Each structure stands twice: as structure tokens, then as C-alpha cells.
Amino acid sequence: MLNFFKKVIYFESLDSTNDYLINLHKTCFVTEQLVVVARQQKKGRGRMGKKWFSDFGGLTFSISIELTHEITDWKMNMLISCALVETFKKYGCIARIKYPNDIII
């Protein structure tokens, strides 16, 4: 079983969790699984170069895992998105998935 939350890096504010994670892997040659969380992203980005806005206090994070034939990026997106929707439902929040990996409440 994967343990994504073994190493979590937290920021109150960050330009982009994704950019931070990519830079960490490139400059420090980190190979372990990581989660980078920020309460606020100032310069988030979406797919295909689109700008992405995250309000303060939203759930913004990026994860780094090694993909395999069994663990694909599509499967991880679906697994995490569905798990979050179900978790929110247990707390009375109606959430939906905006493909590929945004959760809208």
C-alpha cells in the first residue's frame, strides 16, 4: 500500500505547489513520495498553461509518486478525486469533480 503522507511540506502561502514540487525534484534530486500543501496559491496553474485561481483556505496540494503500469496518473486522479468527494459527503458537503482533478463545493 502506498503511503503518500509520510512526507508533507506545508506552506501558508506559495506561488504554486506544483512548481515547488517540480523544482524540488530537479534541483535536489528528490526521489521519494511527497505532498506539498499550501493554504493559498498565488500563481497556480492549470492544464495546458491555463491560469488557475485558488482562494485562501482552499485545499491546494500536489503529490509526487512514482507511476507504474498499475498506478497511472489517470487512476490516481480518479482515486483521489472520488475519495475526496466521498469524504466531503460524510461531512454534509456536496462536492463534484471537475475533470481532471478539481473538486468543486
Side-chain angles (χ1 to χ4, degrees):
M1 174 153 193
L2 296 172
N3 186 354
F4 295 116
F5 303 107
K6 201 172 202 177
K7 300 280 183 174
V8 178
I9 303 170
Y10 174 80
F11 294 93
E12 280 291 317
S13 182
L14 190 65
D15 283 346
S16 165
T17 57
N18 200 16
D19 287 345
Y20 181 86
L21 192 55
I22 289 169
N23 188 48
L24 192 61
H25 280 280
K26 284 181 179 178
T27 59
C28 299
F29 306 103
V30 173
T31 58
E32 63 189 318
Q33 298 175 151
L34 297 172
V35 180
V36 177
V37 180
R39 279 191 80 190
Q40 178 186 35
Q41 284 192 116
K42 296 181 279 185
K43 296 181 183 175
R45 58 183 171 83
R47 297 179 49 194
M48 297 183 276
K50 293 182 180 176
K51 290 185 178 182
W52 187 80
F53 172 77
S54 66
D55 205 358
F56 188 79
L59 181 59
T60 54
F61 62 93
S62 295
I63 62 171
S64 154
I65 62 166
E66 184 177 347
L67 299 175
T68 67
H69 292 298
E70 295 168 353
I71 304 170
T72 65
D73 56 349
W74 186 85
K75 285 181 182 177
M76 288 308 302
N77 275 338
M78 293 302 104
L79 175 70
I80 292 169
S81 296
C82 290
L84 286 170
V85 167
E86 289 301 311
T87 300
F88 286 126
K89 187 187 299 181
K90 288 181 182 179
Y91 290 95
C93 296
I94 297 172
R96 63 181 176 84
I97 300 169
K98 178 181 173 249
Y99 183 82
N101 59 4
D102 293 333
I103 307 300
I104 308 296
I105 297 176

